[in-house]
Amino acid sequence: MAIALTHARTARRAVPPSRAALAVVLLSAALITGCRQDMHDTPRYEALEESDFFADKRAMRPIPEGTVARGNLREDDVYYTGKVDGEVVHTLPAQITVDKALLDRGQQRYNIYCAPCHSTLGDGNGTIVQRGYKRPASYHDPRLRNMGIGYFYDVITNGFGQMPDYSAQVAPADRWAIAAYIRALQLAQAGTIDDVPAADRGVLEGGAPAAAPEASHGGGAAHD
Amino acid sequence: MSQIFPRSANAIVRFSLVGVLLFGGLVASIIGMSMRSDYVTGANSNVDQPVQFSHLHHAGGMGIDCRYCHTSVEQAASANIPPTKTCMNCHSQIWAQSPYLEPVRASWKTGESLVWTRVHDLPDFVYFNHSIHVKKGMGCETCHGRIDKMPGIQQKSSLQMEWCLDCHRNPEKFVRPREAVFTMGYEPEGDQLEVGRKLVQEYKIQSLTTCSTCHR
């Protein structure tokens, strides 16, 4: 369109044709170079880009079934399934050490991926459940309190009932961290005042930490 | 021979010289401003998507963490657009009949990808990696704005080089504690520059401004 306009204008002003032609060429060149995006969009794929080469239009290729990344053969049944001979394990696999870092990681991952339904307390009344999703069992049910820790790993990996699997969203190490944190939630909800170190009990009863004298208490019912 | 120009022409020449400079400056600043305008950078306008997905509802209202869907933001260059499976985690039961979600259900049934429109598109000659920014205490909000208040998705930043450099030169102006990276509406405890300088030291943040940091 720019070219056509320039033609019209040059004709009216009766500029010599050679100079008019030069102007048109220069102007067009300027306009065209201004619009080129070759360097912005080089012929290579970015993450999740559409491809016109593959039939499913995905530049990122799905991994063929049975592919094993070098050094990632999942031979360790306990670690990768949470089960031994079809029975869930009751202890964490040997690779996992229970420490503050593991539980912190578990809490963080739990709050991201599990809390929307299971709630931050683990009672199964998360925001998604309040919006109509089938309510999951509370972790504080005797059935789940007595379940081996491998069960939680297995459910995160494969889903259970209405719960979809989270194998794509949560890596194996994080599944164990979450399972350990669920145990911590269970202990916390069933805790009694006797589980609190003597020095910290004052905090729960409204006093100052450590400095408070050992108060007498019945124990049992008081928990946060 | 009489003079062609009257004496007053001298004044006109002086005015013109100043005028040319002013006019040049005006043209330059108009070009400068328009190159930075939202129209050119694409910032602050809603991007249409195949599904009317609302971050306001999901991240804001329901309080779902960014990482529930953007799973690889801590490990990879791309933060990841979630697969249809992630939508169906909840929407197999919630709003399961809604016509708004028909494209999602269709994608779930057929296995065909939902074709989302890209919102943030850096030029291909720029290398960017989400994971290192997240690890060094750059909040999502710093670049992406208050996503939790967006009913439709928008690019909030210009993504121009001077915008990148603003932080790469002075990371203390923007860095936040790692615990607050995924927080929306973060307020620093005290002065940002003071807090920022401490964090820059603690996280060993380098002010990387060599060309090959991004153009590699």
Side-chain angles (χ1 to χ4, degrees):
Chain A
M1 198 173 118
I3 298 169
L5 273 175
T6 320
H7 266 303
R9 224 176 274 151
T10 47
R12 225 183 294 130
R13 287 184 197 161
V15 179
S18 63
R19 234 198 275 172
L22 185 68
V24 169
V25 168
L26 284 178
L27 188 61
S28 316
L31 286 173
I32 289 168
T33 47
C35 295
R36 285 183 65 152
Q37 293 278 310
D38 286 3
M39 298 277 283
H40 286 249
D41 302 307
T42 48
R44 66 159 164 80
Y45 289 129
E46 284 166 38
L48 300 166
E49 197 167 297
E50 190 168 348
S51 160
D52 48 16
F53 179 78
F54 297 104
D56 62 5
K57 298 194 175 166
R58 289 172 198 161
M60 286 172 96
R61 305 308 306 147
I63 299 166
E65 213 173 314
T67 307
V68 177
R70 191 170 278 266
N72 279 284
L73 183 59
R74 298 187 163 186
E75 281 181 305
D76 186 341
D77 276 354
V78 175
Y79 188 81
Y80 288 107
T81 66
K83 291 179 181 175
V84 173
D85 303 326
E87 293 293 317
V88 294
V89 294
H90 283 257
T91 49
L92 285 165
Q95 299 93 317
I96 309 276
T97 328
V98 182
D99 52 12
K100 179 85 169 35
L102 180 83
L103 291 176
D104 281 347
R105 177 76 181 175
Q107 179 181 37
Q108 188 202 50
R109 296 291 122 172
Y110 176 89
N111 286 340
I112 298 170
Y113 298 105
C114 316
C117 286
H118 290 278
S119 98
T120 47
L121 293 176
D123 60 7
N125 194 28
T127 45
I128 306 300
V129 171
Q130 291 168 27
R131 296 299 288 261
Y133 206 92
K134 188 174 187 291
R135 183 172 181 148
S138 164
Y139 294 135
H140 313 302
D141 280 357
R143 179 179 75 88
L144 290 178
R145 286 178 51 78
N146 297 321
M147 197 64 91
I149 195 162
Y151 176 78
F152 301 107
Y153 181 95
D154 177 55
V155 171
I156 299 171
T157 311
N158 300 309
F160 177 82
Q162 300 292 317
M163 175 180 153
D165 77 271
Y166 277 74
S167 55
Q169 282 156 285
V170 185
D174 286 339
R175 291 175 217 165
W176 285 116
I178 290 173
Y181 180 67
I182 292 173
R183 271 281 118 92
L185 278 179
Q186 291 174 329
L187 287 172
Q189 286 293 302
T192 67
I193 194 70
D194 297 324
D195 297 323
V196 182
D200 294 328
R201 286 180 193 175
V203 182
L204 288 178
E205 287 159 1
E214 186 82 5
S216 66
H217 48 74
H223 61 81
D224 189 40
Chain B
M1 191 175 132
S2 67
Q3 287 179 348
I4 299 171
F5 297 107
R7 187 169 283 273
S8 64
N10 286 345
I12 295 176
V13 167
R14 283 189 203 104
F15 269 116
S16 307
L17 284 175
V18 175
V20 164
L21 283 178
L22 285 179
F23 184 71
L26 182 72
V27 170
S29 42
I30 288 176
I31 291 175
M33 278 192 283
S34 37
M35 290 310 283
R36 289 174 177 82
S37 68
D38 288 355
Y39 178 77
V40 170
T41 63
N44 294 314
S45 57
N46 277 343
V47 178
D48 283 339
Q49 298 289 1
V51 182
Q52 290 183 31
F53 178 84
S54 164
H55 279 90
L56 169 74
H57 171 66
H58 289 86
M62 308 302 292
I64 297 172
D65 193 281
C66 311
R67 292 163 286 185
Y68 185 91
C69 300
H70 302 293
T71 46
S72 62
V73 73
E74 292 170 302
Q75 298 100 39
S78 160
N80 186 28
I81 303 296
T84 306
K85 154 82 168 56
T86 306
C87 309
M88 294 306 282
N89 278 355
C90 295
H91 289 295
S92 57
Q93 291 190 24
I94 295 177
W95 282 53
Q97 312 300 326
S98 163
Y100 289 111
L101 291 170
E102 187 48 43
V104 179
R105 289 193 295 271
S107 162
W108 184 238
K109 271 180 217 135
T110 60
E112 275 176 37
S113 301
L114 276 166
V115 185
W116 299 98
T117 308
R118 195 170 179 133
V119 179
H120 296 82
D121 191 11
L122 285 176
D124 286 1
F125 47 78
V126 180
Y127 173 86
F128 176 81
N129 190 313
H130 273 99
S131 68
I132 188 63
H133 288 85
V134 168
K135 279 199 187 81
K136 294 284 182 181
M138 285 306 298
C140 308
E141 182 190 352
T142 306
C143 302
H144 295 291
R146 289 299 298 270
I147 289 279
D148 63 325
K149 294 193 167 172
M150 291 183 198
I153 191 69
Q154 291 184 355
Q155 172 188 323
K156 267 294 161 202
S157 309
S158 75
L159 305 186
Q160 286 180 326
M161 186 167 137
E162 61 179 8
W163 170 79
C164 301
L165 282 174
D166 189 27
C167 185
H168 272 238
R169 285 187 179 129
N170 306 296
E172 68 276 4
K173 274 163 56 181
F174 302 97
V175 66
R176 54 170 80 184
R178 285 195 181 112
E179 311 85 73
V181 163
F182 297 91
T183 309
M184 288 286 151
Y186 160 79
E187 297 279 350
E189 282 176 38
D191 181 43
Q192 169 64 40
L193 286 179
E194 253 172 58
V195 177
R197 275 189 212 107
K198 271 189 210 130
L199 292 175
V200 165
Q201 286 213 324
E202 193 186 331
Y203 297 162
K204 301 189 173 66
I205 298 174
Q206 307 168 53
S207 170
L208 293 174
T209 51
T210 52
C211 308
S212 59
T213 304
C214 308
H215 305 294
R216 41 170 101 174

